Amino acid sequence: MPLTPSTKCAIVLACAVAGCKQQADSGPPKDRTQPAGDHVFVNPTTNASVDKPRPGPADEHTTIRLFEVPVAASGVDFQHVSGNSKEKPFPAANGSGMGMIDCDLDGRVDLYFATGRSFPFDSESDGPVNRIYRNLGALKFQDVTSESGLGDAGYGVAVAVGDFDADGFPDVYVTRFGQNRLYRNLGDGTFESYPLLSGGNFSTSAAFLDANADGLLDLYVCNYGEWSFDENPFCGDRAADVRIFCSPKSLKPEQDCLLQNLADGTFQDVTSAAGLDELSGRAQGVLASDVDGDGDVDLYIGNDIHPNFLYMNTGGGKFSDVTEISGTAYDRNGQMQAGMGVAGGDVNRDGLWDLFVTNFEGEYNTLYLQHSLNDFHDVSTTHGLAAASKPWVGWGTAIVDLDLDGWKDLIVTNGHVDDNLQQMSRDVPWEQPALVWQNNEGRFQMLGNSVGSYFGKSHPGRGLATADLDNDGDTDVVITHQDQRPAVLRNDVITEAAGPASSLYLRLIGRVSNRDAVGGRVMVPSAAVPQIEQVENGGSYLSAHDSRLILAVDNAGTIDIEILWPSGVSSRISGLDPARDYDIVEPVETGSAPLVFYRPS
């Protein structure tokens, strides 16, 4: 299957696929009823564009409000199956994730859910399948699984999203217990699939990244451990005949895998050549992000009852293990934790990227602040995160500005692995509350059920992913539940006092860089406190966030931004309007202006 070269003209693709319109400086477009996927050209120098922008909230401070959309309204009737049974098969403890993906490039983010199945299974027939729901707008979704080709019938674990063949359409990678699958987007609403080896038999999270800076997305795959249904030990109370899931320590860790994109539709295992073959740690979550700000995409891995890994990209597809010296492997007491989900972001707006990990009960969720290059400190206790998270088992997570005040908040979904601990005389609930912490200029305050009724209840949470599903300018959340339906949470920003009031949408499109611009950074130099956003891949737990960037900005005037592309090219764009969605295409030549498009509402 030949690939489109990474340097192919991205703007031709954008116009051909998404209905771009080059708007001259003479006035508004004649057609005011364009679909959500249409674009209008913006002169990057004069910003001459006049279509009515999407309205933003009033010029006031905001508070976080997330409301669960009923199944009858959303149409998302997916039901997860873990395969849990009296035999307690280990993969059934960990759940499945989901992915945010705009399959058809219509400007509306679709939802793709992974599911497991009952053990044992010898074939992939007569079982539940992964399901894809097309976004129809206004938070209404339609199940299009049967016609899409995405109805994977294996034991689905995680979803990763990335344009590996650089043709403009997002592709999907599904990890499974068993052989993983890569789904290529054919651009007509359908996908073709083929197996892709991952170095192990029990994969968890995965992330796309351009490890060697050749303009094509490679793939990092987390592998958990060696397990089979035929060799599933009894754990629990034999006398009472009560069986629970065994400890992760019962599984020998399997080494993760880096797969290099060979530009011909195939991938090659380069784990050893990249310097990533010396450690293994029952990996659960992976974040592909430029952690040290040098332009190369690094890797942070959350491991279960094992030190977390931090690999710094040194260029040319090589990585350096800085796990022990970085401060991100253990908690502040030097203890390893049971890492699940991971996230990254500049939470204190000092220009340095920080890291976050969710952990098991009795441990706390850990925030690592980067104080200087590759020097991280565990500040969970002093920054208000430790005590509230310690009773729960944390899974999916995101560092995201939910209230559009310019400071990144935290959201975590929780749920225990065992649903029968009461039979072991342990008063530990299987269903647990999801938690939101509001960022108050670098310190965090847990909000409890004031966020919404969903947070006043308990759930068997697992995966979590974020996107603006209704295109209203703020970030919505979807949480997957073990053996239950997922929750679609609509973000309704509530205003209180004067402050940042709107949001700026940015989708970076690489031409010299990888097509998704993973690792690309956006800075708002005019902000009183530095504001930096980055295109990441992976993160959370078994799930894929939308790659569009949403920046909280003032409504008072136009916005100037600076972009550092993964290729090393920098761009400055002046005069962007708040509350408008922009596609920005990387210039091929140094010194050239990027192409800027916006989507009329």
Side-chain angles (χ1 to χ4, degrees), residues 67-103:
F67 298 102
E68 185 172 6
V69 182
V71 173
S74 71
V76 180
D77 57 358
F78 169 78
Q79 174 75 38
H80 178 257
V81 175
S82 71
N84 189 11
S85 67
K86 64 180 182 179
E87 288 83 11
K88 294 296 179 180
F90 192 93
N94 293 354
S96 305
M98 59 88 57
M100 302 288 194
I101 174 173
D102 183 1
C103 294

PDB file of all heavy atoms in Angstrom, residues 67-103:
ATOM      1  N   PHE A  67     -22.181  18.439  32.242  1.00  0.00           N
ATOM      2  CA  PHE A  67     -23.492  17.811  32.353  1.00  0.00           C
ATOM      3  C   PHE A  67     -23.553  16.557  31.487  1.00  0.00           C
ATOM      4  O   PHE A  67     -23.190  16.597  30.301  1.00  0.00           O
ATOM      5  CB  PHE A  67     -24.590  18.786  31.931  1.00  0.00           C
ATOM      6  CG  PHE A  67     -24.667  20.009  32.806  1.00  0.00           C
ATOM      7  CD1 PHE A  67     -24.140  21.216  32.375  1.00  0.00           C
ATOM      8  CD2 PHE A  67     -25.255  19.943  34.056  1.00  0.00           C
ATOM      9  CE1 PHE A  67     -24.194  22.347  33.172  1.00  0.00           C
ATOM     10  CE2 PHE A  67     -25.322  21.070  34.867  1.00  0.00           C
ATOM     11  CZ  PHE A  67     -24.792  22.271  34.434  1.00  0.00           C
ATOM     12  N   GLU A  68     -24.038  15.459  32.065  1.00  0.00           N
ATOM     13  CA  GLU A  68     -24.138  14.211  31.324  1.00  0.00           C
ATOM     14  C   GLU A  68     -25.296  14.265  30.337  1.00  0.00           C
ATOM     15  O   GLU A  68     -26.421  14.612  30.702  1.00  0.00           O
ATOM     16  CB  GLU A  68     -24.316  13.033  32.270  1.00  0.00           C
ATOM     17  CG  GLU A  68     -24.304  11.694  31.563  1.00  0.00           C
ATOM     18  CD  GLU A  68     -24.299  10.506  32.504  1.00  0.00           C
ATOM     19  OE1 GLU A  68     -24.416  10.724  33.728  1.00  0.00           O
ATOM     20  OE2 GLU A  68     -24.179   9.369  32.016  1.00  0.00           O
ATOM     21  N   VAL A  69     -25.000  13.917  29.084  1.00  0.00           N
ATOM     22  CA  VAL A  69     -26.023  13.899  28.036  1.00  0.00           C
ATOM     23  C   VAL A  69     -26.692  12.527  28.045  1.00  0.00           C
ATOM     24  O   VAL A  69     -26.019  11.502  27.907  1.00  0.00           O
ATOM     25  CB  VAL A  69     -25.401  14.177  26.654  1.00  0.00           C
ATOM     26  CG1 VAL A  69     -26.481  14.203  25.583  1.00  0.00           C
ATOM     27  CG2 VAL A  69     -24.620  15.483  26.666  1.00  0.00           C
ATOM     28  N   PRO A  70     -28.003  12.452  28.219  1.00  0.00           N
ATOM     29  CA  PRO A  70     -28.683  11.144  28.258  1.00  0.00           C
ATOM     30  C   PRO A  70     -28.507  10.373  26.957  1.00  0.00           C
ATOM     31  O   PRO A  70     -28.367  10.958  25.874  1.00  0.00           O
ATOM     32  CB  PRO A  70     -30.157  11.516  28.484  1.00  0.00           C
ATOM     33  CG  PRO A  70     -30.141  12.911  29.019  1.00  0.00           C
ATOM     34  CD  PRO A  70     -28.942  13.573  28.419  1.00  0.00           C
ATOM     35  N   VAL A  71     -28.542   9.053  27.078  1.00  0.00           N
ATOM     36  CA  VAL A  71     -28.396   8.199  25.905  1.00  0.00           C
ATOM     37  C   VAL A  71     -29.488   8.490  24.882  1.00  0.00           C
ATOM     38  O   VAL A  71     -29.234   8.512  23.669  1.00  0.00           O
ATOM     39  CB  VAL A  71     -28.426   6.716  26.330  1.00  0.00           C
ATOM     40  CG1 VAL A  71     -28.441   5.810  25.102  1.00  0.00           C
ATOM     41  CG2 VAL A  71     -27.233   6.390  27.208  1.00  0.00           C
ATOM     42  N   ALA A  72     -30.691   8.753  25.357  1.00  0.00           N
ATOM     43  CA  ALA A  72     -31.799   9.027  24.437  1.00  0.00           C
ATOM     44  C   ALA A  72     -31.540  10.261  23.594  1.00  0.00           C
ATOM     45  O   ALA A  72     -32.017  10.361  22.459  1.00  0.00           O
ATOM     46  CB  ALA A  72     -33.097   9.197  25.226  1.00  0.00           C
ATOM     47  N   ALA A  73     -30.780  11.211  24.139  1.00  0.00           N
ATOM     48  CA  ALA A  73     -30.471  12.431  23.399  1.00  0.00           C
ATOM     49  C   ALA A  73     -29.230  12.273  22.534  1.00  0.00           C
ATOM     50  O   ALA A  73     -29.188  12.752  21.399  1.00  0.00           O
ATOM     51  CB  ALA A  73     -30.291  13.590  24.373  1.00  0.00           C
ATOM     52  N   SER A  74     -28.213  11.606  23.039  1.00  0.00           N
ATOM     53  CA  SER A  74     -26.945  11.497  22.305  1.00  0.00           C
ATOM     54  C   SER A  74     -26.960  10.387  21.267  1.00  0.00           C
ATOM     55  O   SER A  74     -26.270  10.482  20.244  1.00  0.00           O
ATOM     56  CB  SER A  74     -25.798  11.246  23.284  1.00  0.00           C
ATOM     57  OG  SER A  74     -25.863   9.944  23.838  1.00  0.00           O
ATOM     58  N   GLY A  75     -27.707   9.314  21.508  1.00  0.00           N
ATOM     59  CA  GLY A  75     -27.680   8.167  20.615  1.00  0.00           C
ATOM     60  C   GLY A  75     -26.513   7.235  20.858  1.00  0.00           C
ATOM     61  O   GLY A  75     -26.361   6.220  20.165  1.00  0.00           O
ATOM     62  N   VAL A  76     -25.658   7.536  21.838  1.00  0.00           N
ATOM     63  CA  VAL A  76     -24.487   6.696  22.123  1.00  0.00           C
ATOM     64  C   VAL A  76     -24.929   5.567  23.056  1.00  0.00           C
ATOM     65  O   VAL A  76     -24.914   5.702  24.287  1.00  0.00           O
ATOM     66  CB  VAL A  76     -23.348   7.518  22.756  1.00  0.00           C
ATOM     67  CG1 VAL A  76     -22.149   6.623  23.043  1.00  0.00           C
ATOM     68  CG2 VAL A  76     -22.946   8.663  21.831  1.00  0.00           C
ATOM     69  N   ASP A  77     -25.325   4.451  22.475  1.00  0.00           N
ATOM     70  CA  ASP A  77     -25.851   3.323  23.239  1.00  0.00           C
ATOM     71  C   ASP A  77     -24.847   2.187  23.366  1.00  0.00           C
ATOM     72  O   ASP A  77     -25.211   1.042  23.673  1.00  0.00           O
ATOM     73  CB  ASP A  77     -27.140   2.807  22.617  1.00  0.00           C
ATOM     74  CG  ASP A  77     -26.960   2.398  21.161  1.00  0.00           C
ATOM     75  OD1 ASP A  77     -25.840   2.557  20.622  1.00  0.00           O
ATOM     76  OD2 ASP A  77     -27.938   1.925  20.551  1.00  0.00           O
ATOM     77  N   PHE A  78     -23.571   2.486  23.163  1.00  0.00           N
ATOM     78  CA  PHE A  78     -22.515   1.480  23.274  1.00  0.00           C
ATOM     79  C   PHE A  78     -22.513   0.854  24.670  1.00  0.00           C
ATOM     80  O   PHE A  78     -22.709   1.531  25.679  1.00  0.00           O
ATOM     81  CB  PHE A  78     -21.159   2.131  22.996  1.00  0.00           C
ATOM     82  CG  PHE A  78     -19.979   1.269  23.337  1.00  0.00           C
ATOM     83  CD1 PHE A  78     -19.587   0.244  22.496  1.00  0.00           C
ATOM     84  CD2 PHE A  78     -19.252   1.477  24.512  1.00  0.00           C
ATOM     85  CE1 PHE A  78     -18.495  -0.551  22.801  1.00  0.00           C
ATOM     86  CE2 PHE A  78     -18.163   0.690  24.824  1.00  0.00           C
ATOM     87  CZ  PHE A  78     -17.776  -0.329  23.971  1.00  0.00           C
ATOM     88  N   GLN A  79     -22.281  -0.453  24.720  1.00  0.00           N
ATOM     89  CA  GLN A  79     -22.212  -1.194  25.979  1.00  0.00           C
ATOM     90  C   GLN A  79     -20.891  -1.943  26.019  1.00  0.00           C
ATOM     91  O   GLN A  79     -20.605  -2.785  25.180  1.00  0.00           O
ATOM     92  CB  GLN A  79     -23.371  -2.182  26.093  1.00  0.00           C
ATOM     93  CG  GLN A  79     -23.306  -3.103  27.303  1.00  0.00           C
ATOM     94  CD  GLN A  79     -23.658  -2.407  28.608  1.00  0.00           C
ATOM     95  OE1 GLN A  79     -24.554  -1.574  28.636  1.00  0.00           O
ATOM     96  NE2 GLN A  79     -22.959  -2.748  29.682  1.00  0.00           N
ATOM     97  N   HIS A  80     -20.061  -1.625  27.008  1.00  0.00           N
ATOM     98  CA  HIS A  80     -18.761  -2.284  27.125  1.00  0.00           C
ATOM     99  C   HIS A  80     -18.904  -3.681  27.705  1.00  0.00           C
ATOM    100  O   HIS A  80     -19.785  -3.940  28.533  1.00  0.00           O
ATOM    101  CB  HIS A  80     -17.838  -1.450  28.016  1.00  0.00           C
ATOM    102  CG  HIS A  80     -16.494  -2.091  28.230  1.00  0.00           C
ATOM    103  ND1 HIS A  80     -16.151  -2.747  29.400  1.00  0.00           N
ATOM    104  CD2 HIS A  80     -15.419  -2.193  27.414  1.00  0.00           C
ATOM    105  CE1 HIS A  80     -14.921  -3.211  29.290  1.00  0.00           C
ATOM    106  NE2 HIS A  80     -14.460  -2.896  28.104  1.00  0.00           N
ATOM    107  N   VAL A  81     -18.042  -4.587  27.268  1.00  0.00           N
ATOM    108  CA  VAL A  81     -17.970  -5.948  27.803  1.00  0.00           C
ATOM    109  C   VAL A  81     -16.523  -6.209  28.200  1.00  0.00           C
ATOM    110  O   VAL A  81     -15.618  -6.119  27.361  1.00  0.00           O
ATOM    111  CB  VAL A  81     -18.423  -6.985  26.756  1.00  0.00           C
ATOM    112  CG1 VAL A  81     -18.235  -8.409  27.292  1.00  0.00           C
ATOM    113  CG2 VAL A  81     -19.869  -6.750  26.354  1.00  0.00           C
ATOM    114  N   SER A  82     -16.304  -6.509  29.474  1.00  0.00           N
ATOM    115  CA  SER A  82     -14.937  -6.736  29.947  1.00  0.00           C
ATOM    116  C   SER A  82     -14.497  -8.182  29.835  1.00  0.00           C
ATOM    117  O   SER A  82     -13.307  -8.473  29.767  1.00  0.00           O
ATOM    118  CB  SER A  82     -14.809  -6.296  31.410  1.00  0.00           C
ATOM    119  OG  SER A  82     -15.501  -7.192  32.269  1.00  0.00           O
ATOM    120  N   GLY A  83     -15.463  -9.125  29.855  1.00  0.00           N
ATOM    121  CA  GLY A  83     -15.108 -10.539  29.914  1.00  0.00           C
ATOM    122  C   GLY A  83     -14.897 -11.034  31.328  1.00  0.00           C
ATOM    123  O   GLY A  83     -14.403 -12.157  31.538  1.00  0.00           O
ATOM    124  N   ASN A  84     -15.272 -10.217  32.311  1.00  0.00           N
ATOM    125  CA  ASN A  84     -15.138 -10.638  33.699  1.00  0.00           C
ATOM    126  C   ASN A  84     -16.027 -11.856  33.963  1.00  0.00           C
ATOM    127  O   ASN A  84     -17.145 -11.945  33.450  1.00  0.00           O
ATOM    128  CB  ASN A  84     -15.531  -9.488  34.624  1.00  0.00           C
ATOM    129  CG  ASN A  84     -15.214  -9.769  36.078  1.00  0.00           C
ATOM    130  OD1 ASN A  84     -14.519 -10.740  36.399  1.00  0.00           O
ATOM    131  ND2 ASN A  84     -15.709  -8.925  36.954  1.00  0.00           N
ATOM    132  N   SER A  85     -15.516 -12.775  34.760  1.00  0.00           N
ATOM    133  CA  SER A  85     -16.251 -13.994  35.087  1.00  0.00           C
ATOM    134  C   SER A  85     -15.713 -14.540  36.398  1.00  0.00           C
ATOM    135  O   SER A  85     -14.818 -13.950  37.014  1.00  0.00           O
ATOM    136  CB  SER A  85     -16.086 -15.033  33.969  1.00  0.00           C
ATOM    137  OG  SER A  85     -14.733 -15.474  33.907  1.00  0.00           O
ATOM    138  N   LYS A  86     -16.241 -15.678  36.832  1.00  0.00           N
ATOM    139  CA  LYS A  86     -15.783 -16.265  38.091  1.00  0.00           C
ATOM    140  C   LYS A  86     -14.313 -16.665  38.030  1.00  0.00           C
ATOM    141  O   LYS A  86     -13.653 -16.789  39.068  1.00  0.00           O
ATOM    142  CB  LYS A  86     -16.639 -17.474  38.447  1.00  0.00           C
ATOM    143  CG  LYS A  86     -16.544 -18.632  37.459  1.00  0.00           C
ATOM    144  CD  LYS A  86     -17.430 -19.805  37.888  1.00  0.00           C
ATOM    145  CE  LYS A  86     -17.289 -20.977  36.921  1.00  0.00           C
ATOM    146  NZ  LYS A  86     -18.137 -22.130  37.342  1.00  0.00           N
ATOM    147  N   GLU A  87     -13.764 -16.841  36.827  1.00  0.00           N
ATOM    148  CA  GLU A  87     -12.340 -17.195  36.681  1.00  0.00           C
ATOM    149  C   GLU A  87     -11.429 -15.979  36.844  1.00  0.00           C
ATOM    150  O   GLU A  87     -10.226 -16.118  36.936  1.00  0.00           O
ATOM    151  CB  GLU A  87     -12.082 -17.847  35.316  1.00  0.00           C
ATOM    152  CG  GLU A  87     -12.634 -19.266  35.178  1.00  0.00           C
ATOM    153  CD  GLU A  87     -14.098 -19.262  34.804  1.00  0.00           C
ATOM    154  OE1 GLU A  87     -14.632 -18.178  34.439  1.00  0.00           O
ATOM    155  OE2 GLU A  87     -14.730 -20.334  34.860  1.00  0.00           O
ATOM    156  N   LYS A  88     -11.981 -14.788  36.821  1.00  0.00           N
ATOM    157  CA  LYS A  88     -11.221 -13.537  36.964  1.00  0.00           C
ATOM    158  C   LYS A  88     -10.033 -13.458  35.986  1.00  0.00           C
ATOM    159  O   LYS A  88      -8.869 -13.355  36.382  1.00  0.00           O
ATOM    160  CB  LYS A  88     -10.719 -13.366  38.407  1.00  0.00           C
ATOM    161  CG  LYS A  88     -11.841 -13.183  39.426  1.00  0.00           C
ATOM    162  CD  LYS A  88     -12.603 -11.892  39.164  1.00  0.00           C
ATOM    163  CE  LYS A  88     -13.740 -11.685  40.134  1.00  0.00           C
ATOM    164  NZ  LYS A  88     -14.498 -10.451  39.897  1.00  0.00           N
ATOM    165  N   PRO A  89     -10.315 -13.485  34.673  1.00  0.00           N
ATOM    166  CA  PRO A  89      -9.228 -13.328  33.684  1.00  0.00           C
ATOM    167  C   PRO A  89      -8.619 -11.941  33.783  1.00  0.00           C
ATOM    168  O   PRO A  89      -9.331 -10.939  33.762  1.00  0.00           O
ATOM    169  CB  PRO A  89      -9.933 -13.548  32.347  1.00  0.00           C
ATOM    170  CG  PRO A  89     -11.371 -13.219  32.615  1.00  0.00           C
ATOM    171  CD  PRO A  89     -11.634 -13.615  34.038  1.00  0.00           C
ATOM    172  N   PHE A  90      -7.310 -11.872  33.895  1.00  0.00           N
ATOM    173  CA  PHE A  90      -6.643 -10.616  34.249  1.00  0.00           C
ATOM    174  C   PHE A  90      -6.974  -9.449  33.325  1.00  0.00           C
ATOM    175  O   PHE A  90      -7.217  -8.334  33.809  1.00  0.00           O
ATOM    176  CB  PHE A  90      -5.121 -10.813  34.312  1.00  0.00           C
ATOM    177  CG  PHE A  90      -4.412  -9.652  34.931  1.00  0.00           C
ATOM    178  CD1 PHE A  90      -4.122  -9.639  36.286  1.00  0.00           C
ATOM    179  CD2 PHE A  90      -4.035  -8.542  34.173  1.00  0.00           C
ATOM    180  CE1 PHE A  90      -3.479  -8.556  36.878  1.00  0.00           C
ATOM    181  CE2 PHE A  90      -3.405  -7.465  34.752  1.00  0.00           C
ATOM    182  CZ  PHE A  90      -3.124  -7.467  36.108  1.00  0.00           C
ATOM    183  N   PRO A  91      -6.996  -9.601  31.991  1.00  0.00           N
ATOM    184  CA  PRO A  91      -7.287  -8.439  31.134  1.00  0.00           C
ATOM    185  C   PRO A  91      -8.631  -7.795  31.428  1.00  0.00           C
ATOM    186  O   PRO A  91      -8.823  -6.595  31.171  1.00  0.00           O
ATOM    187  CB  PRO A  91      -7.245  -9.034  29.717  1.00  0.00           C
ATOM    188  CG  PRO A  91      -6.340 -10.212  29.833  1.00  0.00           C
ATOM    189  CD  PRO A  91      -6.635 -10.787  31.188  1.00  0.00           C
ATOM    190  N   ALA A  92      -9.586  -8.557  31.990  1.00  0.00           N
ATOM    191  CA  ALA A  92     -10.909  -8.008  32.269  1.00  0.00           C
ATOM    192  C   ALA A  92     -10.885  -6.984  33.395  1.00  0.00           C
ATOM    193  O   ALA A  92     -11.850  -6.243  33.574  1.00  0.00           O
ATOM    194  CB  ALA A  92     -11.874  -9.132  32.620  1.00  0.00           C
ATOM    195  N   ALA A  93      -9.813  -6.927  34.163  1.00  0.00           N
ATOM    196  CA  ALA A  93      -9.727  -5.960  35.252  1.00  0.00           C
ATOM    197  C   ALA A  93      -9.492  -4.543  34.746  1.00  0.00           C
ATOM    198  O   ALA A  93      -9.924  -3.580  35.376  1.00  0.00           O
ATOM    199  CB  ALA A  93      -8.592  -6.356  36.206  1.00  0.00           C
ATOM    200  N   ASN A  94      -8.817  -4.420  33.615  1.00  0.00           N
ATOM    201  CA  ASN A  94      -8.279  -3.116  33.200  1.00  0.00           C
ATOM    202  C   ASN A  94      -9.172  -2.328  32.266  1.00  0.00           C
ATOM    203  O   ASN A  94      -8.950  -1.134  32.063  1.00  0.00           O
ATOM    204  CB  ASN A  94      -6.908  -3.306  32.549  1.00  0.00           C
ATOM    205  CG  ASN A  94      -5.868  -3.782  33.549  1.00  0.00           C
ATOM    206  OD1 ASN A  94      -6.144  -3.866  34.748  1.00  0.00           O
ATOM    207  ND2 ASN A  94      -4.682  -4.090  33.065  1.00  0.00           N
ATOM    208  N   GLY A  95     -10.169  -2.946  31.652  1.00  0.00           N
ATOM    209  CA  GLY A  95     -11.110  -2.195  30.839  1.00  0.00           C
ATOM    210  C   GLY A  95     -10.615  -1.871  29.452  1.00  0.00           C
ATOM    211  O   GLY A  95      -9.589  -2.368  28.988  1.00  0.00           O
ATOM    212  N   SER A  96     -11.360  -0.979  28.778  1.00  0.00           N
ATOM    213  CA  SER A  96     -11.060  -0.563  27.410  1.00  0.00           C
ATOM    214  C   SER A  96     -11.232   0.941  27.291  1.00  0.00           C
ATOM    215  O   SER A  96     -11.933   1.565  28.093  1.00  0.00           O
ATOM    216  CB  SER A  96     -11.986  -1.267  26.409  1.00  0.00           C
ATOM    217  OG  SER A  96     -11.934  -2.670  26.547  1.00  0.00           O
ATOM    218  N   GLY A  97     -10.617   1.511  26.285  1.00  0.00           N
ATOM    219  CA  GLY A  97     -10.674   2.952  26.084  1.00  0.00           C
ATOM    220  C   GLY A  97     -11.472   3.349  24.861  1.00  0.00           C
ATOM    221  O   GLY A  97     -12.246   2.558  24.308  1.00  0.00           O
ATOM    222  N   MET A  98     -11.278   4.578  24.420  1.00  0.00           N
ATOM    223  CA  MET A  98     -11.993   5.105  23.257  1.00  0.00           C
ATOM    224  C   MET A  98     -11.148   6.187  22.601  1.00  0.00           C
ATOM    225  O   MET A  98     -10.161   6.645  23.169  1.00  0.00           O
ATOM    226  CB  MET A  98     -13.350   5.669  23.654  1.00  0.00           C
ATOM    227  CG  MET A  98     -13.377   6.789  24.653  1.00  0.00           C
ATOM    228  SD  MET A  98     -13.229   8.458  23.925  1.00  0.00           S
ATOM    229  CE  MET A  98     -14.597   8.471  22.788  1.00  0.00           C
ATOM    230  N   GLY A  99     -11.559   6.575  21.391  1.00  0.00           N
ATOM    231  CA  GLY A  99     -10.822   7.583  20.648  1.00  0.00           C
ATOM    232  C   GLY A  99     -11.715   8.662  20.080  1.00  0.00           C
ATOM    233  O   GLY A  99     -12.835   8.385  19.632  1.00  0.00           O
ATOM    234  N   MET A 100     -11.227   9.905  20.118  1.00  0.00           N
ATOM    235  CA  MET A 100     -11.851  11.031  19.437  1.00  0.00           C
ATOM    236  C   MET A 100     -11.246  11.117  18.042  1.00  0.00           C
ATOM    237  O   MET A 100     -10.031  11.272  17.890  1.00  0.00           O
ATOM    238  CB  MET A 100     -11.594  12.326  20.202  1.00  0.00           C
ATOM    239  CG  MET A 100     -12.094  12.326  21.635  1.00  0.00           C
ATOM    240  SD  MET A 100     -13.900  12.409  21.697  1.00  0.00           S
ATOM    241  CE  MET A 100     -14.164  12.833  23.426  1.00  0.00           C
ATOM    242  N   ILE A 101     -12.096  11.056  17.011  1.00  0.00           N
ATOM    243  CA  ILE A 101     -11.583  11.044  15.645  1.00  0.00           C
ATOM    244  C   ILE A 101     -12.600  11.644  14.692  1.00  0.00           C
ATOM    245  O   ILE A 101     -13.754  11.207  14.641  1.00  0.00           O
ATOM    246  CB  ILE A 101     -11.213   9.596  15.213  1.00  0.00           C
ATOM    247  CG1 ILE A 101     -10.813   9.555  13.735  1.00  0.00           C
ATOM    248  CG2 ILE A 101     -12.319   8.614  15.551  1.00  0.00           C
ATOM    249  CD1 ILE A 101     -10.270   8.211  13.291  1.00  0.00           C
ATOM    250  N   ASP A 102     -12.169  12.648  13.933  1.00  0.00           N
ATOM    251  CA  ASP A 102     -13.023  13.221  12.891  1.00  0.00           C
ATOM    252  C   ASP A 102     -12.796  12.407  11.622  1.00  0.00           C
ATOM    253  O   ASP A 102     -11.995  12.770  10.756  1.00  0.00           O
ATOM    254  CB  ASP A 102     -12.677  14.701  12.679  1.00  0.00           C
ATOM    255  CG  ASP A 102     -13.585  15.376  11.664  1.00  0.00           C
ATOM    256  OD1 ASP A 102     -14.500  14.707  11.143  1.00  0.00           O
ATOM    257  OD2 ASP A 102     -13.373  16.573  11.382  1.00  0.00           O
ATOM    258  N   CYS A 103     -13.520  11.298  11.513  1.00  0.00           N
ATOM    259  CA  CYS A 103     -13.267  10.328  10.437  1.00  0.00           C
ATOM    260  C   CYS A 103     -13.435  10.924   9.052  1.00  0.00           C
ATOM    261  O   CYS A 103     -12.680  10.615   8.129  1.00  0.00           O
ATOM    262  CB  CYS A 103     -14.205   9.135  10.588  1.00  0.00           C
ATOM    263  SG  CYS A 103     -13.926   8.135  12.047  1.00  0.00           S
TER     264      CYS A 103
END
